[in-house]
Amino acid sequence: MSSTYGDNLKLSIFGQSHGPAIGMVLDGIPAGLPVDLEVLQTFLNRRAPGQNDWSTPRKEEDRPEFLSGLLEGFTCGAPIAAAIRNHNTRSGDYANLKDCPRPGHADFTAQIKYGGFQDAAGGGHFSGRLTAPLCIAGGLCKQWLEERGIQIGGRILSIAGCSQTDDPLDPCAHAIPPIGERFPVVNPQVGEAMRQAIADARAEGDSVGGIIQCVITGLPAGLGEPMFGGVEGKLAQILYGIPAVKGVSFGDGFGAANLRGSQCNDAFAMENGKVRTATNHSGGILGGITNGMPLIFQLAVKPTPSISQPQQSISLSRMENLELEVKGRHDPCIVPRAVPVAEAAAAIAIFDMILGNTQTNRRK
């Protein structure tokens, strides 16, 4: 099913943007894993709407209600089910979208796929609102990974052409801002230029996109499988489930196409009794399997398609062209709020693979 992910754990996302609630069910998690709900809430707050001038004014507390799976601060072996109640909805803003689809949205494709039975309010099940329950599952997986010494951090690499770069020859140059930053950048001056670009777009009734980078440290070498079980494929599958993600790359990504082999290859070396590489153009993955270096990936996030400028669309009932003015409350740039979502998705994928490794090792 399209709303379910995982091989060794099973994550299911449910709900619609303006429905009574959204939530998730996470199955296959071993009993006895500790859960810190305060740490989880702090993580969820990084994604929550209505907190600053670069996000939607829609305010939701995003406090999960756990229905099963937790007992006295630990997992109990049952499926973990959690729901977030929707409160601040204005469904009337979306009343005409089944007939007049918004450019850049799934309104038209959903109409064709579901024949008018889909929930169009707020984008329904296609909405970025559904990344909140994804962050519940990912926030839990992050905690369990950190117990194993695996850290996942994300940052804004660029917005509207304002970017910060690293030294490609330094395998550890991809610095991550302190955990909890709402606008996570390493260079404050570049960050200010990014915020100004967002403000300018909002003032013009427009939006901007950008690139997110995530770094995963502490991964053991040997995680993943060749061919269709590769780490890149497992991560890409869940990362592309984040609305507005239009590209995923690892290491140098498309930049590797402009290098020679002598430039792109990461030379091996021994360091304190461990195998390391002098550079990290591969992003910590070779042949679909981790090599023990930091795993680095980038996400290209398109501009928010809901903008207040008039746009050209059509009337499906009258089969004629018309002008559309989108109503509702929307982010002028979703990149900052998408950073914790990227971390959450990566945590789910990595923990799923670690569970698979654990089960394989038990059979040996």
Side-chain angles (χ1 to χ4, degrees):
M1 296 176 62
S2 64
S3 298
T4 300
Y5 173 87
D7 296 319
N8 306 288
L9 58 77
K10 292 294 182 183
L11 169 65
S12 294
I13 303 291
F14 65 85
Q16 295 103 253
S17 178
H18 287 201
I22 53 177
M24 68 95 208
V25 178
L26 186 61
D27 200 0
I29 303 301
L33 299 182
V35 172
D36 189 324
L37 294 180
E38 290 187 7
V39 170
L40 176 63
Q41 188 61 57
T42 298
F43 178 69
L44 295 176
N45 290 344
R46 291 173 56 199
R47 192 223 69 94
Q51 303 182 82
N52 41 61
D53 57 4
W54 58 78
S55 72
T56 171
R58 175 179 177 178
K59 293 184 180 294
E60 297 282 3
E61 288 189 349
D62 284 0
R63 292 192 173 275
E65 175 188 352
F66 282 90
L67 309 176
S68 68
L70 302 184
L71 184 64
E72 298 178 350
F74 292 88
T75 59
C76 66
I80 303 171
I84 294 175
R85 303 291 173 179
N86 289 324
H87 298 289
N88 190 7
T89 61
R90 292 192 340 206
S91 300
D93 290 340
Y94 304 88
N96 67 329
L97 298 185
K98 289 184 180 181
D99 182 60
C100 184
R102 294 168 294 177
H105 274 281
D107 300 333
F108 171 70
T109 51
Q111 177 70 17
I112 299 301
K113 179 76 173 179
Y114 300 112
F117 290 98
Q118 75 279 6
D119 183 355
H125 194 67
F126 294 91
S127 171
R129 181 88 183 115
L130 274 296
T131 60
L134 180 73
C135 282
I136 297 175
L140 294 173
C141 289
K142 279 195 71 171
Q143 292 186 28
W144 302 327
L145 289 174
E146 287 168 3
E147 283 202 325
R148 293 165 168 79
I150 299 170
Q151 298 281 339
I152 301 177
R155 64 170 178 168
I156 302 168
L157 201 60
S158 71
I159 286 178
C162 305
S163 63
Q164 48 190 17
T165 58
D166 296 305
D167 180 1
L169 298 180
D170 183 352
C172 299
H174 303 266
I176 297 299
I179 298 298
E181 287 285 331
R182 297 295 174 87
F183 201 94
V185 292
V186 176
N187 187 321
Q189 290 182 330
V190 176
E192 184 57 37
M194 293 177 182
R195 285 192 289 269
Q196 186 60 52
I198 296 173
D200 291 344
R202 167 169 257 167
E204 297 169 8
D206 216 332
S207 64
V208 291
I211 298 175
I212 295 168
Q213 184 178 69
C214 282
V215 180
I216 307 175
T217 59
L219 283 174
L223 189 65
E225 305 287 344
M227 297 292 289
F228 308 120
V231 174
E232 297 104 324
K234 296 297 184 182
L235 279 165
Q237 181 186 1
I238 191 169
L239 291 170
Y240 275 121
I242 301 172
V245 169
K246 301 302 289 184
V248 178
S249 67
F250 296 87
D252 283 356
F254 279 87
N258 298 321
L259 302 177
R260 290 190 173 189
S262 57
Q263 299 171 306
C264 187
N265 291 345
D266 299 311
F268 289 105
M270 296 303 301
E271 184 178 305
N272 298 323
K274 294 183 178 181
V275 178
R276 307 284 288 174
T277 60
T279 54
N280 195 17
H281 297 288
S282 69
I285 306 169
L286 294 170
I289 300 171
T290 56
N291 64 5
M293 295 296 290
L295 194 162
I296 301 168
F297 67 85
Q298 292 76 225
L299 300 180
V301 181
K302 73 176 184 179
T304 312
S306 287
I307 58 177
S308 58
Q309 293 183 8
Q311 299 179 81
Q312 292 302 308
S313 186
I314 56 173
S315 167
L316 292 172
S317 62
R318 300 194 302 271
M319 297 302 289
E320 62 184 28
N321 298 326
L322 54 74
E323 188 176 83
L324 172 69
E325 291 190 16
V326 176
K327 299 180 181 179
R329 299 158 294 174
H330 309 283
D331 300 71
C333 180
I334 63 173
V335 173
R337 292 177 58 213
V339 174
V341 181
E343 295 175 17
I348 294 164
I350 295 298
F351 195 68
D352 182 44
M353 286 185 275
I354 285 178
L355 287 178
N357 262 19
T358 302
Q359 294 169 6
T360 299
N361 292 335
R362 285 174 179 170
R363 290 194 294 266
K364 291 181 178 178

